[in-house]
Every structure is written in C-alpha cells, then in structure tokens.
Amino acid sequence: MGSRSEILAAIRHAADRGTRKGPVRTEPLIAGMDPRDAARRWREAEAGRASARDALADAFARECQALSVKVHWVRSHEAAADLLGSIILDRGIQKILHWRTPLLDRLGIPELIGRMGIEAMESREAGSDALNKRFAPADAQLGITEADYGLADSGTLVIRHGPERDRTASVLPPVHVAVLEKDRILAGLDTLIIRLRLDLAAGTSPDRCITLVSGPSKTADIGISLVLGIHGPGEVHVILLDLP
Amino acid sequence: MDIRCEQFRESSRKALSDKHLQAAMATLEKLLTLGRRMGFAGLEDAESLRDRANDIKNRSLDRLGDYLERLEERVTRLGGTVHWARTASEAREIICRLAADRGVRTVVKGKSMVSEEISLNDALKEGGVEVFETDLGEFIIQLAGEPPSHLVGPAIHKTVEQVSRLFSEKFGVRRMEHPGEMTLFARRALRQRFLEADMGVTGVNFAVAETGTVILFENEGNIRLSTTLPRVHVALMGIEKVIPTMEDAAVLMKLLARSCTGQKLPTYVSMINGPRGLEESDGAGEFHLVILDNGRTRILEQPDLRETLYCIRCGACLNACPVYLKAGGHAYGWVYSGPIGAILTPQLVDRKQASVLPFASTLCGACRDVCPVKINIPRVLLALRRRYAEDPDWEDASPLMEKGLLALYARITENRRLYDAVSWAARVVQRPLTRNDRFVPAVRTLAEKTGRPEMRPLASKRFSRLWRERGKSGGCDG
C-alpha cells in the first residue's frame, strides 16, 4: 500500500499548496446528468426519432458511405437473409462466425447456413477454450453480429457485448456484417450517453465492453497512404432493417 | 527510452537536410490540419466545447485524489485490480511480476506512449517475455529499433522503400512495392501473435471515475484484438487520465479524434468495464489498471505548470508547430515531441538534459490555438524558461558570460536613452567591419568558426530612422 498512500499524499500536498484555480469546489464529486433530466431527454430523443426516422437513417447512411461502410436497406427479414446470402456468395465465403440472437434467428441465419452449405460457428464457441472447434476462428472469413444502435452524425455502430454477444465476430474476420434496426438509429454520441446514464441510474450492471465501430479498420502508417483492413475487418456492411 | 534531448540542435540540423522527412512532415501537416479544420467545422459549438474540456481537466485535477480513489473502487468492484506505481521502475516491476506470476510468455501491445516512457518492453524482455508491438507504425519502428517520430504516425519518417527493405530483411520475404501489400503482410505476420499472446498491454485514453470505465481509441483494431484474445489485460495510465463522468468523457471524445486526424470518432472506441463477465466467451479474464505517477504529482504542485497535465495526447500541437514540422520528432530526444514534448519532458526527466527544449520555440502560439483543452503552451514554455534562468533547482549549465550578457541586454533595453546611445555607438564601431549590410569576409569566417554562421551586423539605418524618413517623403504603401 506504500505507493498508493505516497501518491495520494503527494496529490493532497499539491492541492494544499493552493494550486486550485478559482474558488474552492463545493459541488458534489460526481455530477453527471440528473437521471430525471436524462429520462426526459431520452423521451424527447425518441419522439424526435419517431418523426425524423427517415432523416436520421439518411444521415446515418451518408456518414457510412463517407467511411466506406456499405449500407443495405431491407424491408423484411427474408430480404435481409437474401442479402446476407449474396454477400457471402459474391465473395466465395466458406467459413463464417455468427452471433446467436433472437433477431438473427428471425432472419433465418441457421437455415441460410444450411442452404448454402457453408461452415458456420457460433462465435461464442469460437471464443471458448474448447479444443475441437469446427474450424480455427482465425480462418473465419466473415462475422455476423447485431448492432444495438447506430449514431447518425458519425456513421457509427454501437455494439454492446455480453454472453451471446462476443467481441471476436466483429473484429477477427476480414468482413463484418452488422444487422441494425432502423429505429435504433440515434442522433449521436450525446444520445447514447443519455441511454448509458439511464441504465446506470436503473442499477443495471454495465456491459463489460461496448464497442463503437466507425468504418473499416484503417491505417496510413506506411507512406501516409490509406490502407483498409490492417487488423480489424477491411469491409463493413450494415443490413438496415426497415420493417413496416 | 534513452533520453537524447541535449542533441536537439544536431538532430534538427540532420532533419532539415532529410528530404524525405521534410516531405513527409509537409504532407502530414497539410492532411492533418485540413482534417482538423473540417472536423471542427462540423461542430456547432467548437469553442464552448473546448472551454468545457478545459474546465473538465481543471476540475479533475482539483480533486484528483478523490477521483482516483473512486476509479479504484469502481474497477475493483467490477472485478479488476488496481496497482499504484510511484516511479517508472515500480511500474515495470508490477507488470513484470504480473507476467511472471501468470506464466505469460508473449505480450501484444497497443500504441502506448506511457509504456515507452517507462521503457516497459526492455524490462519484459529481460524477464524472458516476448513483446510484440502491434500498431503498424510501432511494429515498423520496433523492427527498425528506432524511436517514434510522430504521435499519430510513429514511422512516418520512413519511406515506403525503407519499410519494404526492412520487411524483406527481417522476414526474409521478397521486396514489396505497395503500402497495401506491406500492410496485408503485417496483418498476417501479427495475427498469430494476437491468437497466442497471454497478455495484452495498452494505455488509457480516458478513465471514468464514476463508472470505472476505461476508454480506448484506435483506427487499426489491434487494441480490440489485444483486449479480446489474451487472458490478461494490463492498462497503464498516468494519474492525469482520470475524469469524473461519462458526460465528461463525451466532451473529450468529441474533441480528441477531430483534433488528431479530423475524424469525428476513431474507427474503434472500446469502453471497457473490468474483466469479462462470467458467461462471456471472449475478453480478458483479468483486468489490471496500473496508475502511474512518475513525476506527475510534482507537476501538479506548480500552479504555473499544472496545465501540462491537461493534455489528452491528440497531437494537434505537433501538426501546428513550425519548429516540430521542420525539426522532426527525433530531435526532441524522448517519447513526447512537439510543443507538448517541450513542456512535458523537462518536467519528467533530468532537467539539465532537457534544458534546450523550452527554448526550441518561437512562441508563435499556433499550438495554443489548436489545443482542444486550451493549454496555454507558450505561457508554460515561458514559465519553464524562467525556471531555467532563475530557479536554483533548475538552473541550467548556462555559462556565466551568457547570463551576464543577457542581464546587460535587459538593462540596456529597459532605458530608452541608454538604448539609443549604445545603438549609436555599436554602429560606429561596426562600420569598418561591414560592407553592404554584411560583415566583411574575415569576420564572417570567424563567425562560422565559433558556430554562429547566421550572425549579421546591425542594419546601417535603424527602422525608427527609416520610418521617419519615409514619413517625410509621403510614407510607404502596403
């Protein structure tokens, strides 16, 4: 405990030497948004979303395009499955990782896999320490996940990870396909923070990891020349579910 | 990392004649300043956002102890472990001991300046642990055995050809021509490392006290892989990285990527709350947060230097600095370069070694104008210069004669009459030594020999006299 107390003592000593700029702080240590404020703003955001669904989705799609993310608009679960099928077929993909979730089940992913005769592994199996996996996760050519939200002003996918929602599927394979429901597109980061504030206030345990994905993996470290797909996926698709 | 600040003059001279470096810096400056401008143009309230960011940093430092304790409590409750390191050597020890205890044989690293600050890689290697830098730029300079030259692009000083040769030599592969090929090669070379690594080491962009969340920014995906695949994740942070709430984090998040490259957000933002949950299939099973002092508490003590700790490491000041863009990152002789390096390094390393850095500036203020958290860097540079000139604890090895001459100069310029008299006398004395507003060859040779080739005589007519003369004849236009 020596270093801990030394460091804290040194910090206190610095404060005592009057290094504070301005008046002594009397407000509470943690002054995040008031949950009631947050609730009101979330409701306003939802109302705004309801009336501006198309505008938000359009903005989201525009930002995605600027990031080289391909957005596919579909109006039914069947159309979504067909689209996914064509992405897989066009690239000659044989091995995929996928989440197993109610939404992806509604899309008929398991049936699609069967029909196409490709090898698929639930990505939670991929992440496990099991020895006899169907194939090496590193050999997967495509990963399918959901996105919990989209952020319209930056073309961002918000992915909350958890037991059936691993991280591997969206980062290890070279192609990532995310299924996003159109009315889950938020205006931007501030709205997401409001959501997180509400979850915190409700006492829900926080997600162990939330990933914000804005476009394909990229680097310009060699010769200041932009290259996609250095470590994460070089190709990102969003299947935007616009159900009537 | 070795400290070579005292070689600033020599290094920068070399940099000036490095054609590739100069071209790379010019390109970087154009791209990143344009990017930054465009990124900020999209923000409707950029100025007030910067003010808020400055306030957040100020508030965080005001009650730093409380926020660090809260952060520790939260991370611990999430199942993580918090370690406190007073010094670089302690931090190294903590991480090496952890690696030894957990049977770690290989480590994958995300880009982390603080890990270079404490020279972590060498320590791990001494303990028999293999360390792989995974950020492409860091990977390249690790292979080349060189220090980083820019915060965002550590390897921009290398030509495409040089990287191609490097890969060919180190991996025994054929020479590749295009950045695309080489990038794909690096991806393949590192994939297995991620899959086999026992421990991932990263820095921290922001640590949120209220929730215990560690936020990590990146474009490549190597940090995601380093925190998803290995069983242990070690996040290393300076004490100044803690901020109060997620709302505060959002303000800084909006500014960081825009200031750095002009992006609204980087490709990946990871918000990590402790180790993975029981039912999760990936993510590190162990999360360790190492909180590092290494001289930061001493910075905190100084009212006029304290704002150095506001820095969020965006690199905007580097891209704006006329000195950095010519001298290059290596000239600054340590981990942190550019204007932030000029103020941070002298406060973290041996003062004498770093004494040239606060003087390697024109005080133009371009850095202050772009800093997202509104650090008044020129003000801090002047404060450091004052210390080097006057504070006995800082006094640099300035020769007595230089001090004497400066004091004399100060005396002369404070008194108008004295200044005029000395000025007149100097012109009389120098006349036989000058021709056409230049020194005669003999004097020029002497100047070169004593290391002052740029020395010029006083102009034959003072500006004030020219102004008066021109004024009489009707003034000048333009």
Side-chain angles (χ1 to χ4, degrees):
Chain A
M1 267 307 177
S3 288
R4 182 183 184 278
S5 10
E6 273 182 47
I7 293 173
L8 289 171
I11 292 172
R12 225 167 286 130
H13 172 74
D16 290 343
R17 286 186 63 182
T19 60
R20 272 194 210 99
K21 291 187 171 180
V24 175
R25 306 259 172 206
T26 50
E27 59 281 333
L29 185 69
I30 304 286
M33 195 183 299
D34 184 308
R36 282 163 305 175
D37 252 344
R40 180 183 45 84
R41 290 169 74 166
W42 182 256
R43 276 194 306 275
E44 281 168 12
E46 295 215 283
R49 273 207 302 287
S51 61
R53 282 173 87 226
D54 290 334
L56 275 180
D58 284 340
F60 175 76
R62 259 195 323 270
E63 291 293 326
C64 282
Q65 185 177 38
L67 293 171
S68 304
V69 171
K70 300 175 186 51
V71 178
H72 312 269
W73 297 68
V74 297
R75 312 220 59 197
S76 68
H77 292 125
E78 296 74 31
D82 285 342
L83 184 67
L84 184 56
S86 60
I87 293 174
I88 291 171
L89 202 60
D90 287 347
R91 285 155 188 75
I93 284 171
Q94 291 297 308
K95 298 184 161 97
I96 67 170
L97 294 181
H98 66 97
W99 283 5
R100 192 70 203 272
T101 65
L103 174 59
L104 293 181
D105 275 356
R106 279 200 295 279
L107 257 53
I109 305 282
E111 293 80 8
L112 178 72
I113 291 165
R115 272 202 312 277
M116 298 190 77
I118 54 178
E119 290 186 72
M121 181 159 49
E122 273 178 47
S123 45
R124 63 168 292 126
E125 188 196 328
S128 73
D129 291 327
L131 290 172
N132 53 342
K133 296 179 189 160
R134 215 160 305 200
F135 54 83
D139 291 344
Q141 299 157 296
L142 181 145
I144 308 165
T145 72
E146 281 180 48
D148 290 82
Y149 300 108
L151 301 183
D153 65 5
S154 52
T156 301
L157 298 166
V158 180
I159 305 176
R160 302 172 74 150
H161 300 285
E164 307 292 332
R165 311 166 71 81
D166 61 84
R167 313 167 202 201
T168 302
S170 58
V171 70
L172 198 57
V175 181
H176 173 212
V177 179
V179 180
L180 172 66
E181 292 173 289
K182 182 177 160 188
D183 41 8
R184 293 185 76 96
I185 295 175
L186 310 177
L189 185 63
D190 286 338
T191 318
L192 176 66
I193 299 295
I194 293 172
R195 179 72 257 157
L196 295 178
R197 170 60 57 193
L198 286 171
D199 291 346
L200 189 65
T204 338
S205 21
D207 304 299
R208 287 331 184 94
C209 180
I210 301 175
T211 307
L212 307 186
V213 178
S214 308
S217 144
K218 52 183 83 74
T219 181
D221 277 340
I222 301 179
I224 316 183
S225 172
L226 187 68
V227 178
L228 302 182
I230 163 69
H231 292 298
E235 222 188 299
V236 180
H237 297 260
V238 178
I239 298 181
L240 197 53
L241 262 186
D242 181 6
L243 302 175
Chain B
M1 193 176 134
D2 281 346
I3 299 162
R4 294 208 169 90
C5 318
E6 66 277 12
Q7 292 173 18
F8 185 90
R9 280 194 187 89
E10 194 187 309
S11 295
S12 48
R13 233 170 252 146
K14 247 187 251 152
L16 286 170
S17 42
D18 182 338
K19 285 207 173 72
H20 167 74
L21 180 68
Q22 294 302 316
M25 291 303 221
T27 307
L28 214 58
E29 191 247 338
K30 229 185 298 164
L31 285 174
L32 296 179
T33 50
L34 178 65
R36 183 189 171 274
R37 220 176 300 135
M38 281 172 59
F40 272 77
L43 274 180
E44 30 176 86
D45 51 354
E47 261 324 283
S48 82
L49 212 58
R50 286 173 74 206
D51 286 327
R52 282 167 69 192
N54 178 278
D55 181 64
I56 288 165
K57 279 298 187 173
N58 190 20
R59 276 191 284 119
S60 304
L61 293 183
D62 267 359
R63 301 171 75 169
L64 188 61
D66 293 332
Y67 287 125
L68 287 171
E69 284 183 303
R70 175 66 185 251
L71 175 68
E72 174 187 49
E73 189 251 309
R74 284 282 114 189
V75 169
T76 309
R77 193 166 313 186
L78 288 166
T81 309
V82 177
H83 313 260
W84 299 71
R86 188 87 157 114
T87 61
S89 104
E90 220 192 300
R92 287 194 296 266
E93 212 187 308
I94 289 168
I95 298 174
C96 289
R97 203 177 338 119
L98 206 54
D101 281 349
R102 304 297 193 265
V104 168
R105 283 159 310 170
T106 63
V107 165
V108 284
K109 282 185 71 215
K111 184 161 60 187
S112 160
M113 312 198 71
V114 70
S115 73
E116 299 200 44
E117 182 187 319
I118 67 168
S119 301
L120 179 63
N121 293 9
D122 287 337
L124 284 169
K125 269 181 256 172
E126 266 164 49
V129 179
E130 274 200 283
V131 180
F132 297 103
E133 290 289 349
T134 60
D135 171 273
L136 182 60
E138 295 285 344
F139 173 67
I140 291 168
I141 60 177
Q142 183 184 38
L143 283 174
E146 291 169 21
S149 56
H150 188 281
L151 196 144
V152 176
I156 46 132
H157 59 283
K158 301 200 92 58
T159 61
V160 174
E161 213 253 321
Q162 283 171 339
V163 178
S164 169
R165 212 178 322 132
L166 184 67
F167 281 6
S168 178
E169 281 169 14
K170 296 286 180 175
F171 294 103
V173 294
R174 63 166 180 85
R175 292 284 300 270
M176 292 171 273
E177 267 182 52
H178 304 289
E181 289 182 84
M182 291 185 254
T183 304
L184 189 59
F185 175 80
R187 176 189 166 98
R188 288 206 193 100
L190 284 165
R191 204 119 279 250
Q192 208 47 35
R193 308 292 178 214
F194 287 118
L195 292 161
E196 291 173 349
D198 306 300
M199 178 190 269
V201 174
T202 67
V204 167
N205 289 97
F206 308 109
V208 182
E210 182 183 14
T211 53
T213 307
V214 158
I215 299 179
L216 290 162
F217 270 36
E218 59 167 332
N219 278 310
E220 298 187 6
N222 56 309
I223 290 180
R224 284 185 69 193
L225 288 172
S226 302
T227 55
T228 296
L229 299 174
R231 52 194 162 84
V232 182
H233 173 202
V234 175
L236 178 61
M237 64 176 258
I239 53 175
E240 80 282 19
K241 291 301 180 89
V242 68
I243 53 173
T245 64
M246 285 298 290
E247 284 85 0
D248 295 327
V251 172
L252 295 169
M253 282 170 64
K254 282 192 228 170
L255 289 168
L256 178 50
R258 283 180 169 92
S259 303
C260 190
T261 55
Q263 294 169 288
K264 297 189 177 105
L265 283 175
T267 306
Y268 304 117
V269 179
S270 300
M271 298 180 175
I272 295 176
N273 290 304
R276 75 203 223 180
L278 287 174
E279 299 281 306
E280 287 188 69
S281 59
D282 58 16
E286 277 189 59
F287 177 70
H288 296 265
L289 182 65
V290 181
I291 299 178
L292 176 74
D293 178 355
N294 203 28
R296 288 157 172 77
T297 46
R298 203 169 43 184
I299 300 178
L300 195 58
E301 269 179 32
Q302 319 293 322
D304 56 343
L305 301 177
R306 177 183 180 270
E307 57 186 311
T308 311
L309 296 176
Y310 287 20
C311 179
I312 60 175
R313 307 284 191 265
C314 70
C317 58
L318 275 69
N319 302 327
C321 178
V323 173
Y324 168 81
L325 289 169
K326 286 289 172 198
H330 291 166
Y332 290 78
W334 203 46
V335 183
Y336 306 105
S337 54
I340 186 62
I343 61 174
L344 185 57
T345 303
Q347 299 186 70
L348 291 184
V349 308
D350 177 68
R351 289 164 176 170
K352 276 213 162 61
Q353 271 193 288
S355 59
V356 68
L357 292 180
F359 295 88
S361 162
T362 62
L363 299 176
C364 72
C367 51
R368 176 199 52 215
D369 294 341
V370 297
C371 179
V373 288
K374 290 198 165 178
I375 302 173
N376 190 333
I377 298 178
R379 185 169 58 196
V380 180
L381 284 165
L382 283 171
L384 286 170
R385 289 184 185 187
R386 216 173 293 123
R387 278 185 177 54
Y388 274 115
E390 295 165 10
D391 188 330
D393 289 334
W394 284 73
E395 259 179 66
D396 116 62
S398 229
L400 212 54
M401 165 128 125
E402 185 181 310
K403 287 215 175 87
L405 283 175
L406 280 171
L408 186 62
Y409 180 75
R411 184 60 62 84
I412 294 171
T413 50
E414 278 165 15
N415 181 321
R416 184 70 213 218
R417 283 230 193 90
L418 186 56
Y419 181 78
D420 285 343
V422 170
S423 195
W424 174 85
R427 282 182 170 78
V428 165
V429 163
Q430 79 172 16
R431 213 173 300 140
L433 300 171
T434 61
R435 200 169 301 141
N436 295 330
D437 271 325
R438 297 187 72 195
F439 277 124
V440 297
V443 178
R444 263 186 275 143
T445 316
L446 187 63
E448 265 160 48
K449 288 228 169 75
T450 52
R452 291 257 182 275
E454 71 278 4
M455 225 172 71
R456 292 282 179 279
L458 298 171
S460 50
K461 273 196 191 154
R462 285 173 59 176
F463 180 78
S464 49
R465 185 164 157 201
L466 282 174
W467 184 262
R468 264 181 281 125
E469 286 175 3
R470 296 269 180 92
K472 279 197 186 119
S473 66
C476 52
D477 49 64

